[in-house]
Amino acid sequence: MEALLGRGGIEPPKAERRGRHDTGVRPERPLFSQELTWDSVNEQEKLDRQLSGASSVDVVLDKHPWLAECRRLAEREGFFHWQLDFAPVFASGQPGGGGFDLQVGNPPWVRPDWEDDTTLAEDDPWFTLAFKPSVGARVLEDDARLHRYLTERASNVGTIAHLGSDIDRPVLTGLRPDLYRCFMDRTWRSMAPEGVVGLIHPESHFTEARAGHLREETYRRLRRHWQFRNEFKLFEIMNTREYGVSVYSQPRRPSFLSACSLYHPATVDKSLIHDGSGAEPRVKDDVDAMDVRPHLSRVVTVDETVLANWAALIDEPGTAAAQARLLRPVNASSQAVLGKLAISSRFAETSFRWTSGWNEKTDCDRGYFRAASAVPEKWSDAILQGPHFAVATPLAQQARPSMKSNKDYDRWHLEALPESAIPRTSYQPAMPIPEFLAGYPHWDGQNSADFFRLAWRDQADSSTVRTLFAALLPPGPTHVDNVRTLRAEARDLALAAGMWASLPTDFLIKVSGKGHIKVDIVERLPHPADHPLVPQVILRALRLNCLTRAYAPLWEELWDPSWRDDAWTLAPPSEDRPYRPAPLGDVTAGWTMATPLRKDFDRRQALVELDALAAVMLGITAEELCSIYRTQFGVLRKYERANRYDANGRKVSADVLEEHAKHGPKANLGRYVLPLHPLDREADMTRAHEQFTNPSAELSQS
């Protein structure tokens, strides 16, 4: 800097200073001569450099080769200095201080992660077409390609170091570099005192466990938060992609307006001026279209009280309200339910152990198992995957031998399920079973597969029929890491199996916005272990899950004689709905083939009653239960409206319904028996809720 700029201003020569008394005042010298010409300007500039010791840029670059390299780097990387390039905007003399009054933008939605094949494909498409290509094999043989490869690698490393610097961006300390987050931080620092920022960007910082400090800084600046899903393809990205429109200003106590599950910006504009009349909006309407109706109840005011409730729901105990993970209630009723869930007991209050099982890639590469289709002879040979089970149904789908994809499964017919059924699996042990099991995770010295466990699918998608898929597993089977399992005391395990099958618990997962259900979410799920209705939950959970004799020990351990007095909450039979299931309490202390519920109608009714039981135990009203069903479970509502059940309690297949619609009474219904009738989940849940709320109400014993 001294070489480029010199050591200071022009001073008189030493001889001139010695020839007079130093009064502290320097004699005035004109910068230019009386005659202003180009020659005089050049002469004065030359004199100025000589007196200050400054050198020309070319001289400095020649003297310092590393500085020339810095210059080349700057030109290649495109460094940008906001304060220098917009110096007048950031000048301290600006009214109220420097900065932009308005900033708007759509920052890059990418992480600067390194991808070998993508970089190398710029030279040779082989790298994206080959399966697991060897970088060294084709890079080192070409000096020019190697130089370009190393240059790009160095650039990436430098970018990551710069964007992840705790000194440059303390707000992002401890987080992986992400360009959209860097732009959030940049715009906040560039705001004028009364400035406003509007950005379109992803929302992973609202749910990432480590991003608490960033959330705190976000909430202090956030004024409007509109969360969209790209269903209408307003952006040229996948229709399932989610993003947010956020408006920021200078920090203050958290208080902002939020609306979620939006599909068109007009919905927001009109909701802000809506009068609040009419039914509350939901995710999908009655014709299975995305609900874009404007409504005042869409807009929720989020302040420290709301954030504290959200923190109590899904964050670690002791999490500050300002660092709570953001939830996504669709309307005011959904927010009211969240407030009630916030004060419930948590599964974390139990003593449990968990595991993610086999690493599907690493442990396969290590030789523990191999890809092959077979029906294992015993449970200890079975390696389960997510599609094997569904909500409260451990044997939901049977894998096909073709093993094409995770959809290559057939539905089990539970009425014909053998008492010792074991599902076909697409992975088989590749070593003797003792060695195979020795490599599986252990709990306190015991193999984790030796216990009854509650399993759930790791991946979550709030737009599907259900988000939380969980079922009980018997001792023996292992699983890959798209499944998680946990062990707890038998009573807590069965209660959790029932609560996790309910709509209120699934609702909490949906509004969390999580794409994966990790243990930090699981331990925050409601678990009202001291409620008097716990026996009713356990009975229904076990009758749904205990499908084979492998579950007999769990059933017999938890047997409760009071179950004999329990009964369905069904409305009386009618001519249109003649089917009646066997009495709910008609069970024995020992497991039999009649213990599990096998008919489609019976299983649906048990799930409906679990919905109502969970709602009553958590203080959720019948109307609130129906509201979250209408607003958050659009796909489930679509299926429920289309489903028909026959006189024997079987759900009628779609092809038979089509046949019946075409030919009426002459249709070939196969195993199904007329009449075919729909069911009303809201009416059934409301009736069950009323009877569980008032235990003295008369229950149907038939």
Side-chain angles (χ1 to χ4, degrees):
M1 294 298 291
E2 276 190 4
L4 287 169
L5 303 178
R7 292 186 174 84
I10 301 173
E11 291 190 348
K14 292 182 180 179
E16 182 178 335
R17 291 204 302 269
R18 286 196 300 269
R20 62 172 172 81
H21 294 292
D22 192 349
T23 62
V25 179
R26 298 291 180 258
E28 293 185 5
R29 293 182 56 178
L31 185 59
F32 299 108
S33 62
Q34 295 290 334
E35 183 181 356
L36 185 62
T37 64
W38 287 115
D39 290 338
S40 65
V41 171
N42 289 336
E43 197 62 35
Q44 184 60 41
E45 185 179 5
K46 181 179 179 181
L47 177 62
D48 184 28
R49 285 201 305 269
Q50 290 175 346
L51 293 175
S52 64
S55 302
S56 68
V57 172
D58 291 337
V59 170
V60 175
L61 291 175
D62 184 62
K63 186 176 181 180
H64 301 287
W66 61 267
L67 188 58
E69 180 63 20
C70 289
R71 190 183 200 184
R72 287 191 290 272
L73 280 171
E75 291 173 352
R76 188 184 77 209
E77 299 296 337
F79 297 141
F80 189 81
H81 302 275
W82 291 82
Q83 279 81 1
L84 292 179
D85 282 87
F86 293 101
V89 174
F90 290 98
S92 59
Q94 292 289 326
F100 291 102
D101 295 319
L102 177 64
Q103 301 173 82
V104 294
N106 178 9
W109 301 5
V110 295
R111 283 178 168 152
D113 296 332
W114 177 255
E115 295 179 353
D116 266 326
D117 55 352
T118 303
T119 303
L120 294 166
E122 295 292 329
D123 280 328
D124 188 345
W126 175 83
F127 285 101
T128 56
L129 300 176
F131 178 71
K132 296 182 179 179
S134 170
V135 173
R138 296 180 69 100
V139 174
L140 298 179
E141 65 189 25
D142 186 308
D143 289 343
R145 180 181 291 165
L146 176 61
H147 180 267
R148 286 192 296 272
Y149 175 82
L150 294 177
T151 298
E152 288 297 323
R153 191 72 180 97
S155 176
N156 177 260
V157 171
T159 298
I160 292 175
H162 169 61
L163 296 180
S165 168
D166 295 348
I167 297 174
D168 288 340
R169 293 172 183 81
V171 169
L172 306 179
T173 297
L175 304 178
R176 284 178 62 190
D178 195 312
L179 290 178
Y180 92 83
R181 298 181 184 184
C182 293
F183 269 92
M184 286 169 60
D185 171 61
R186 176 68 265 168
T187 58
W188 295 346
R189 289 192 282 163
S190 298
M191 274 194 292
E194 302 298 326
V196 175
V197 175
L199 297 178
I200 302 175
H201 55 61
E203 302 205 304
S204 61
H205 60 290
F206 283 132
T207 56
E208 185 179 328
R210 296 182 303 168
H213 180 59
L214 177 57
R215 280 193 292 275
E216 182 175 2
E217 296 298 326
T218 301
Y219 292 147
R220 294 174 62 218
R221 294 169 173 82
L222 198 56
R223 300 296 176 264
R224 301 287 186 271
H225 166 251
W226 315 131
Q227 182 261 322
F228 288 87
R229 189 180 178 95
N230 196 43
E231 289 288 346
F232 296 160
K233 297 187 177 180
L234 302 181
F235 285 95
E236 294 179 355
I237 54 177
M238 292 178 60
N239 65 306
T240 58
R241 193 70 184 271
E242 295 180 345
Y243 56 90
V245 175
S246 296
V247 178
Y248 305 101
S249 64
Q250 291 292 350
R252 68 178 188 192
R253 294 175 70 89
S255 181
F256 58 92
L257 300 182
S258 179
C260 299
S261 297
L262 301 169
Y263 309 102
H264 197 282
T267 304
V268 180
D269 295 336
K270 296 176 181 178
S271 293
L272 290 169
I273 59 175
H274 191 267
D275 62 4
S277 62
E280 288 189 325
R282 44 192 187 243
V283 175
K284 289 191 173 184
D285 59 23
D286 289 332
V287 295
D288 199 38
M290 294 299 169
D291 193 345
V292 295
R293 291 176 299 131
H295 200 286
L296 184 61
S297 70
R298 283 188 182 275
V299 183
V300 177
T301 299
V302 180
D303 56 18
E304 288 180 307
T305 301
V306 172
L307 290 173
N309 283 339
W310 290 355
L313 271 171
I314 62 172
D315 286 306
E316 292 287 334
T319 298
Q323 296 191 4
R325 282 180 275 197
L326 184 80
L327 297 185
R328 296 176 173 178
V330 174
N331 51 40
S333 295
S334 298
Q335 176 55 32
V337 172
L338 290 175
K340 294 180 177 181
L341 291 173
I343 60 175
S344 65
S345 302
R346 299 276 177 257
F347 187 70
E349 297 170 17
T350 68
S351 176
F352 74 94
R353 304 292 299 273
W354 72 279
T355 181
S356 57
W358 297 114
N359 183 294
E360 191 166 4
K361 181 182 185 305
T362 303
D363 288 325
C364 184
D365 292 343
R366 289 174 177 171
Y368 283 104
F369 54 88
R370 57 189 173 83
S373 179
V375 177
E377 294 184 0
K378 52 186 181 297
W379 273 113
S380 59
D381 294 342
I383 304 174
L384 301 181
Q385 296 173 269
H388 278 114
F389 61 90
V391 177
T393 310
L395 294 168
Q397 297 186 106
Q398 174 79 306
R400 297 170 187 158
S402 48
M403 303 189 329
K404 293 179 180 178
S405 70
N406 61 357
K407 297 182 179 179
D408 201 17
Y409 285 76
D410 292 311
R411 181 171 172 260
W412 280 97
H413 294 293
L414 298 185
E415 289 184 66
L417 190 71
E419 70 171 32
S420 58
I422 297 176
R424 175 181 292 276
T425 58
S426 299
Y427 286 123
Q428 309 304 322
M431 58 179 61
I433 293 300
E435 298 175 33
F436 170 76
L437 292 177
Y440 197 65
H442 283 56
W443 292 324
D444 301 325
Q446 294 179 281
N447 195 303
S448 59
D450 290 342
F451 301 90
F452 282 102
R453 291 152 291 161
L454 182 57
W456 72 95
R457 298 184 195 174
D458 171 70
Q459 287 195 318
D461 185 349
S462 61
S463 66
T464 55
V465 59
R466 297 292 289 261
T467 304
L468 177 58
F469 291 85
L472 291 171
L473 298 184
T478 61
H479 58 83
V480 294
D481 54 359
N482 62 8
V483 173
R484 302 284 192 268
T485 54
L486 62 83
R487 165 201 176 191
E489 294 295 328
R491 183 176 183 273
D492 287 319
L493 201 67
L495 173 59
M499 293 296 296
W500 293 18
S502 72
L503 293 187
T505 303
D506 201 310
F507 161 73
L508 179 56
I509 300 293
K510 282 184 181 291
V511 299
S512 73
K514 299 286 286 186
H516 295 272
I517 306 175
K518 305 300 184 186
V519 175
D520 63 332
I521 293 295
V522 162
E523 64 184 7
R524 306 303 298 155
L525 296 180
H527 194 74
D530 297 328
H531 199 281
L533 290 174
V534 167
Q536 284 92 320
V537 174
I538 292 178
L539 172 60
R540 288 159 179 79
L542 292 184
R543 295 206 67 185
L544 286 166
N545 281 275
C546 296
L547 293 175
T548 66
R549 185 165 293 281
Y551 291 87
L554 182 64
W555 172 267
E556 292 160 8
E557 178 181 355
L558 292 172
W559 163 258
D560 187 338
S562 69
W563 289 348
R564 292 185 177 277
D565 299 324
D566 204 344
W568 299 110
T569 63
L570 285 165
S574 64
E575 185 176 343
D576 293 334
R577 290 176 53 174
Y579 175 74
R580 299 296 291 176
L584 180 64
D586 188 10
V587 290
T588 60
W591 186 94
T592 70
M593 287 292 285
T595 298
L597 299 171
R598 301 183 185 277
K599 291 283 185 73
D600 298 323
F601 183 103
D602 302 10
R603 295 184 66 80
R604 175 197 175 276
Q605 182 63 27
L607 288 171
V608 165
E609 295 188 6
L610 284 174
D611 297 337
L613 282 163
V616 172
M617 297 165 78
L618 298 171
I620 299 169
T621 68
E623 176 52 39
E624 288 170 338
L625 175 61
C626 292
S627 177
I628 63 173
Y629 169 63
R630 289 191 297 267
T631 58
Q632 298 284 168
F633 293 87
V635 179
L636 179 59
R637 289 183 72 245
K638 171 188 172 182
Y639 292 161
E640 290 270 321
R641 290 196 304 272
N643 288 340
R644 297 293 183 271
Y645 293 79
D646 79 345
N648 291 325
R650 296 189 177 108
K651 187 166 68 175
V652 184
S653 61
D655 57 335
V656 171
L657 283 178
E658 185 177 348
E659 173 77 9
H660 184 257
K662 287 182 179 179
H663 304 289
K666 296 182 180 180
N668 179 14
L669 301 182
R671 69 189 187 117
Y672 301 106
V673 179
L674 293 174
L676 309 182
H677 60 87
L679 295 175
D680 185 337
R681 194 182 191 102
E682 288 192 42
D684 294 341
M685 290 192 302
T686 300
R687 177 180 173 82
H689 191 285
E690 179 182 357
Q691 295 197 4
F692 291 131
T693 304
N694 303 293
S696 60
E698 182 179 352
L699 296 176
S700 172
Q701 299 292 332
S702 60

